[in-house]
Amino acid sequence: MMTVLAGLTAAALAWCGNLLLVRRWGDICVVWVVPAFEEFVKSGTALLFGASIIFVHMIFGLAEAAHDYYASRRFGFWSALTALISHTVFGLVTYYILLYSGMWFLAIAGAALVHTAVNYLSIHYLRARKERR
């Protein structure tokens, strides 16, 4: 139960924070700032609630998947599936780096780097695809 609460709390905090970040710095921060912020929020919430890092990331991914599914008629399903899978992977990255290093900062930073790469590649792929039309 604490894991679900932690995941939903992380999703709510990230949603509010992301709105403020994007308003302040625009879409560029979706690649360079939002990943670090989200990874800090997810892992920090898991730590504070004493919850599973991996499952908090998965619950967060489900919340983002629900949002993405309803936000896009055309790509909703694929966007939702990507959100669930990618946030689960970010949780696994965080967990294993923490397991082997014992350092929270390193675990969050590692997941943030992977998250940044995914966002960068996704945005550039979508932009290139749109320009080909």
Side-chain angles (χ1 to χ4, degrees):
M1 185 62 178
M2 291 306 283
T3 301
V4 173
L5 185 58
L8 294 176
T9 299
L13 289 171
W15 184 72
C16 293
N18 288 346
L19 282 175
L20 295 172
L21 290 168
V22 172
R23 280 186 190 150
R24 174 73 170 98
W25 288 294
D27 288 339
I28 192 74
C29 79
V30 171
V31 172
W32 304 110
V33 179
V34 165
F37 174 69
E38 284 187 1
E39 294 311 317
F40 174 77
V41 168
K42 289 183 288 188
S43 296
T45 304
L47 178 63
L48 288 172
F49 281 73
S52 164
I53 295 168
I54 296 169
F55 288 120
V56 167
H57 279 72
M58 289 174 73
I59 298 297
F60 184 100
L62 278 172
E64 188 171 299
H67 171 270
D68 291 353
Y69 182 79
Y70 291 106
S72 172
R73 290 186 189 273
R74 186 169 181 195
F75 299 109
F77 173 78
W78 297 110
S79 184
L81 186 61
T82 300
L84 178 58
I85 292 170
S86 64
H87 285 286
T88 301
V89 169
F90 304 150
L92 290 166
V93 169
T94 305
Y95 174 78
Y96 283 108
I97 292 175
L98 180 61
L99 180 68
Y100 290 110
S101 73
M103 294 186 277
W104 275 98
F105 177 78
L106 189 60
I108 293 169
L113 286 172
V114 173
H115 194 158
T116 297
V118 168
N119 284 10
Y120 179 85
L121 292 171
S122 296
I123 287 172
H124 286 285
Y125 168 76
L126 291 172
R127 184 176 294 140
R129 185 174 175 187
K130 186 176 181 181
E131 289 172 359
R132 283 192 297 251
R133 285 191 220 164

